[in-house]
Amino acid sequence: MTVTKPIHRIAIVGTGVIGASWTALFLAKGLQVTATDIAPNAEAALVQFVENAWPALKRLGLSPGASQSNLKFTADLAAALDGADFVQENGPERLDFKRKLYGQLDELLSPDAIIASSSSGLKMSEIQSGAALHPERCVIGHPFNPPHLIPLVEVVGGKKTSEQSIRRAMEFYTSIGKKAVRLNKELPGHVANRLQGALAREVYHLVAEDVLSAADVDDALSWGPGLRWGIMGNMMLNHLGGSPGGIEHFFQQFAGPMTTSWKALGSPVLTPELQKKLIDGVRAEVGSRTIPELEAERDEILLGLLELRAKRPDTVAPREAAAE
């Protein structure tokens, strides 16, 4: 049966950093949100997170009906799921926990409700085995932190996920301004984290080999390729790197040197000694700045980039996508 029911009511399961950030985004998009978590002081922490995130969301542009008052909280899972059209699950990254949880979600939700997991590493095929009734409505909807600001969400189904569920998830995320990327295959860590992992491996290798300090390797990234990556991805930048000849000329010119350099990339082992070296380097880079201060610096620059991208007609940005 084709499901065309619109998505208005969201259930947030797990209100840690990721769940709280999703909550703020959904509220900013004018949706009704019911959140649940059994952790002590979870409700107070969630309300505070949303309040703190609201100025940034307001700056990016709130949707009609957006209000912090659209948030409800309950420690009762069944009550949180009552009437939900879409569930964003943010539980611990433990397969046994998620399988048990998905059995509960599957029994409590209406059959047409989508269940999306924020899991950063687990495969949906493994998770959805806990949902005996309707595994076809279970998808991965993996965000990048913080979800209320970073547009990316990776969508991938499991072996039992229906094409219809993937399409509905993609359409929903796109409708609220997310940059939804569909993965055609399941991979541990999905895609964006694997890309980060490949880069992190070389970063740790360079610091371990005393090529440069932690602060300098961060500068090399954030003041070099990182600036370009905030505009275009690897493949488009390769195309520009080929000048008038484009991607074809790029490979003609650089394929040989590039593949040769791959052979020299490092494979560091994160021994306690190397971890201490990396930690000491980061602490030296941080200095007296606190985590909240660093987060504020990150978010302010990020907001500026998002606002700049929103002005470009050929760029997908939260404000433009929400108005489509």
Side-chain angles (χ1 to χ4, degrees):
M1 181 177 68
T2 302
V3 179
T4 58
K5 181 181 178 182
I7 294 173
H8 297 299
R9 299 175 63 86
I10 309 297
I12 296 287
V13 178
T15 60
V17 174
I18 299 299
S21 187
W22 271 121
T23 299
L25 174 67
F26 291 141
L27 291 171
K29 298 305 177 181
L31 299 166
Q32 301 290 322
V33 180
T34 302
T36 183
D37 199 311
I38 60 173
N41 302 316
E43 181 176 7
L46 175 61
V47 170
Q48 186 63 57
F49 184 99
V50 172
E51 183 177 332
N52 292 342
W54 207 251
L57 290 163
K58 188 174 182 180
R59 179 171 159 182
L60 290 173
L62 301 176
S63 297
S67 174
Q68 296 177 61
S69 64
N70 290 335
L71 173 62
K72 296 180 180 179
F73 185 92
T74 175
D76 185 274
L77 180 62
L81 300 177
D82 186 29
D85 305 312
F86 191 97
V87 176
Q88 189 72 44
E89 173 270 313
N90 314 281
E93 288 285 281
R94 299 202 318 268
L95 185 56
D96 57 341
F97 177 91
K98 287 193 185 291
R99 281 174 172 165
K100 181 179 179 181
L101 174 61
Y102 273 62
Q104 296 174 289
L105 298 177
D106 199 28
E107 292 178 358
L108 292 168
L109 287 162
S110 64
D112 56 3
I114 295 290
I115 306 174
S117 177
S118 297
S119 175
S120 61
L122 299 176
K123 294 181 180 180
M124 180 46 68
S125 291
E126 297 173 335
I127 298 173
Q128 69 187 168
S129 64
L133 298 176
H134 296 286
E136 74 280 354
R137 40 95 165 266
C138 302
V139 302
I140 293 288
H142 173 240
F144 238 48
N145 191 36
H148 70 283
L149 295 182
I150 301 291
L152 177 67
V153 59
E154 299 173 306
V155 179
V156 59
K159 293 178 180 178
K160 296 181 179 179
T161 305
S162 70
E163 177 65 24
Q164 181 187 73
S165 295
I166 295 175
R167 283 202 308 270
R168 287 188 71 206
M170 291 283 292
E171 290 168 1
F172 169 66
Y173 285 131
T174 300
S175 75
I176 61 170
K178 299 298 282 183
K179 181 61 176 177
V181 174
R182 177 173 179 173
L183 279 58
N184 297 319
K185 297 180 180 180
E186 292 183 289
L187 291 170
H190 316 312
V191 168
N193 277 337
R194 291 171 68 94
L195 294 172
Q196 280 195 146
L199 180 59
R201 184 175 70 175
E202 186 62 14
V203 165
Y204 300 156
H205 168 71
L206 294 171
V207 176
E209 294 298 311
D210 293 320
V211 175
L212 73 178
S213 67
D216 284 343
V217 78
D218 276 353
D219 283 346
L221 284 173
S222 62
W223 290 99
L227 286 174
R228 298 190 302 193
W229 291 333
I231 305 165
M232 295 178 179
N234 183 78
M235 300 309 300
M236 282 294 288
L237 289 170
N238 285 171
H239 184 55
L240 293 183
S243 299
I247 188 69
E248 294 85 358
H249 181 70
F250 175 85
F251 284 127
Q252 291 170 7
Q253 189 78 8
F254 299 111
M258 184 168 55
T259 54
T260 298
S261 71
W262 290 348
K263 299 174 183 177
L265 294 177
S267 297
V269 178
L270 283 175
T271 62
E273 294 77 18
L274 176 53
Q275 290 184 46
K276 184 179 185 306
K277 185 174 185 177
L278 294 168
I279 291 169
D280 290 346
V282 170
R283 288 299 177 187
E285 181 180 1
V286 168
S288 62
R289 294 175 294 175
T290 65
I291 293 292
E293 288 171 343
L294 290 167
E295 289 177 337
E297 178 183 338
R298 176 201 65 190
D299 292 351
E300 179 61 27
I301 297 173
L302 178 57
L303 283 167
L305 177 59
L306 289 170
E307 289 171 332
L308 182 61
R309 293 194 68 159
K311 296 177 183 178
R312 297 289 301 172
D314 56 347
T315 301
V316 176
R319 193 183 309 170
E320 291 184 355
E324 290 178 356

